[in-house]
């Protein structure tokens, strides 16, 4: 099987599994809030993981809050920004039109009449250019006197475009506007410096860099008081209730350390595989690679394609039959593939968006053989579907 859906999730690394097993089987299995030696051991493991995650992302340990996933981190970041806005009497939020659903759905809730903090927040969604990049100028134009929060993802999950988050953040900070970046696809793949770049809020998710699913972190600057999303006990310094997932945190810390140490080597390897794939698919009629051509403006691992005249739903089935796992955007509740809001925002027609496929490559998962298998399978599938047969 050629697994080329690493942007959806990655295989958990052996070292991350070992780190989790050590917690679950060893001394640190207990509740870190418990007032006994076993609890102390769990607390030490949890705080060690927090220090490691902070070090990898260049944040202070006290700025790292463990959460259950990237979606939760995004939800809480937006809630925190909205709470700040409500306190300041500023109820306008700016985000890009290509954010993940966990940002966009939360914005819908904040905008609705029965949303949190009185609801009725005004939301402006900024469109990207045809390559999937949002400009700082476009964000600037969207800002108003009453803007409290800007949420701009570090890198997009469907086309891999990297956004100008550093400059956008600097501009927002000067105006007293909180800045959140969803770095779920970037963490472990691009260097992130939370302190130097002055982010207020940043979301990560362990399963995108070979950590376990169901573990993430919200980085919240010491300048900002996070608003709780999960209410109950006083875990995570009172900002997130729920008995801590110590094993998950340990697995995440290990995976992030491995990814951070291998960042440059992995990038070089993935770029090489990407070039190989791009060269092969350029020989197939009607295949277009989307996103920025400039390597500094894209995640190396995500190759977004449209294939003229080839509907992605049957293509996914046939590729799967050929042992190739790729994706075509998010699956809706009924299991069908939804038309990508990212491609729509980039100006693609619904007909073109229906031919979108995402191939996501990973340094430790994939080989030249996988690339070869995927490119050959895609050529056959395109020919077969264009011929009308399935
Ligand atoms: N943000 C982005 C950009 C993502 O790609 C994803 C997952 O695909 C998420 C947020 C949500 O992360 P999680 O699956 O951990 O909730």
């Amino acid at each position: 099987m050629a697994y080329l859906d690493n942007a959806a999730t990655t295989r958990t690394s052996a070292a991350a599994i070992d780190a989790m097993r050590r917690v679950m089987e060893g001394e640190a299995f207990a509740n870190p809030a418990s007032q006994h030696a076993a609890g102390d051991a769990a607390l030490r493991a949890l705080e060690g993981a927090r220090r490691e995650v902070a070090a990898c992302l260049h944040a202070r340990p006290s700025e790292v809050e463990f959460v259950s996933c990237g979606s939760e981190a995004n939800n809480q970041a937006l809630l925190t920004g909205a709470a700040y806005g409500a306190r300041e009497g500023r109820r306008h939020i700016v985000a890009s039109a290509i954010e993940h659903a966990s940002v966009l759905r939360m914005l819908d809730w904040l905008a609705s009449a029965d949303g949190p903090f009185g609801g009725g927040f005004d939301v402006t969604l900024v469109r990207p250019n045809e390559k999937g990049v949002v400009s700082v100028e476009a964000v600037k134009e969207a800002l108003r006197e009453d803007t409290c929060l800007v949420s701009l993802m570090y890198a997009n999950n469907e086309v891999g475009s990297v956004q100008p988050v550093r400059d956008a953040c600097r501009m927002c900070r000067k105006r007293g506007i909180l800045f959140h970046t969803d770095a779920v696809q970037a963490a472990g793949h691009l260097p992130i410096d939370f302190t130097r770049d002055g982010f207020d809020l940043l979301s990560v998710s362990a399963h995108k860099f070979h950590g376990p699913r169901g573990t993430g972190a919200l980085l919240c600057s010491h300048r900002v008081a996070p608003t709780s999303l999960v209410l109950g006990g006083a875990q995570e310094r009172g900002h997130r209730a729920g008995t801590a997932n110590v094993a998950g945190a340990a697995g995440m810390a290990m995976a992030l350390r491995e990814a951070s140490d291998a960042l440059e080597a992995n990038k070089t390897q993935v770029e090489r595989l990407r070039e190989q794939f791009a060269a092969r698919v350029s020989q197939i009629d009607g295949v277009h690679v989307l996103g920025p051509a400039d390597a500094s403006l894209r995640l190396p691992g995500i190759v977004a394609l449209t294939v003229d005249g080839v509907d992605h739903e049957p293509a996914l089935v046939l590729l799967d039959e050929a042992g190739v796992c790729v994706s075509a955007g998010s699956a809706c509740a009924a299991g069908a593939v939804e038309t990508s809001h990212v491609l729509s925002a980039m100006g693609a027609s619904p007909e073109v968006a229906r031919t979108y496929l995402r191939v996501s490559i990973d340094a430790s998962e994939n080989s030249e053989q996988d690339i070869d298998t995927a490119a050959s399978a895609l050529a056959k599938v395109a020919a077969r579907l264009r011929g009308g047969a399935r």
Side-chain angles (χ1 to χ4, degrees):
M1 178 177 83
Y3 181 79
L4 288 155
D5 199 14
N6 295 284
T9 201
T10 53
R11 192 188 296 272
T12 311
S13 79
I17 294 172
D18 273 353
M20 289 188 281
R21 187 179 291 125
R22 278 198 297 279
V23 169
M24 289 190 276
E25 291 180 350
E27 290 289 293
F29 74 92
N31 186 330
S34 295
Q35 304 294 308
H36 45 57
D40 288 348
L43 186 61
R44 277 197 302 279
L46 183 66
E47 294 312 313
R50 199 185 309 279
R51 281 195 298 278
E52 190 72 302
V53 170
C56 292
L57 301 173
H58 303 278
R60 303 177 187 190
S62 60
E63 293 174 320
V64 175
E65 177 194 315
F66 288 116
V67 297
S68 68
C69 58
S71 299
E72 185 189 332
N74 283 343
N75 282 190
Q76 192 182 358
L78 266 57
L79 198 67
T80 298
Y84 166 75
R87 283 196 302 275
E88 300 275 313
R90 286 151 60 186
R91 304 180 68 85
H92 176 237
I93 302 175
V94 175
S96 83
I98 59 171
E99 297 296 313
H100 186 260
S102 52
V103 167
L104 295 176
R105 294 294 77 79
M106 190 69 186
L107 290 174
D108 289 344
W109 190 37
L110 289 165
S112 69
D114 55 0
F117 311 115
F121 281 83
D122 221 354
V123 174
T124 303
L125 295 182
V126 180
R127 285 172 66 121
N129 65 15
E130 72 291 350
K131 298 286 182 197
V133 179
V134 173
S135 73
V136 180
E137 289 68 35
V139 175
K140 189 173 176 187
E141 271 171 32
L143 299 181
R144 304 192 323 210
E145 283 293 301
D146 62 342
T147 307
C148 55
L149 172 71
V150 169
S151 185
L152 179 61
M153 67 201 325
Y154 211 109
N156 180 264
N157 46 311
E158 295 193 17
V159 294
S161 49
V162 173
Q163 308 302 323
V165 287
R166 291 180 191 166
D167 291 345
C169 177
R170 202 171 310 122
M171 177 178 73
C172 291
R173 289 280 307 283
K174 275 193 211 142
R175 292 169 163 78
I177 298 168
L178 288 190
F179 189 86
H180 165 243
T181 186
D182 170 357
V184 165
Q185 290 290 341
H189 304 281
L190 299 175
I192 291 179
D193 195 322
F194 185 72
T195 303
R196 181 200 62 201
D197 292 336
F199 299 126
D200 293 305
L201 297 149
L202 182 144
S203 310
V204 302
S205 180
H207 71 103
K208 306 291 187 180
F209 48 79
H210 301 282
R213 273 143 295 278
T215 304
L218 174 64
L219 271 58
C220 183
S221 158
H222 60 91
R223 301 179 298 275
V224 180
T227 299
S228 299
L229 181 66
V230 183
L231 304 176
Q235 289 91 351
E236 295 298 298
R237 295 168 177 79
H239 303 311
R240 189 208 187 251
T243 303
N245 176 3
V246 182
M252 173 169 170
M254 178 59 79
L256 190 55
R257 169 50 63 204
E258 284 184 298
S260 304
D261 288 350
L263 205 96
E264 281 309 315
N266 285 347
K267 203 168 152 203
T268 309
Q269 161 79 349
V270 171
E271 281 289 356
R272 210 172 49 73
L273 294 174
R274 181 194 178 98
E275 293 298 308
Q276 186 195 338
F277 184 69
R280 287 289 305 275
V281 297
S282 69
Q283 289 161 13
I284 309 171
D285 267 354
V287 170
H288 311 276
V289 177
L290 312 178
D294 178 347
S296 70
L297 291 179
R298 61 173 197 229
L299 284 172
I302 293 185
V303 189
L305 309 165
T306 54
V307 190
D308 291 351
V310 175
D311 189 297
H312 52 200
E313 287 212 41
L316 277 184
V317 174
L318 291 175
L319 285 166
D320 189 29
E321 280 170 17
V324 176
C325 306
V326 297
S327 77
S330 30
C332 72
V337 179
E338 277 180 358
T339 304
S340 160
H341 68 285
V342 176
L343 263 67
S344 302
M346 287 162 60
S349 68
E351 293 72 41
V352 170
R354 282 206 63 75
T355 71
Y356 158 75
L357 288 172
R358 181 184 69 185
V359 175
S360 45
I361 305 169
D362 180 80
S364 58
E365 180 71 35
N366 299 124
S367 61
E368 288 180 11
Q369 176 66 52
D370 291 342
I371 299 299
D372 205 48
T373 304
S376 307
L378 183 62
K380 286 195 192 113
V381 166
R384 186 164 162 192
L385 290 176
R386 283 179 187 143
R390 254 223 50 202

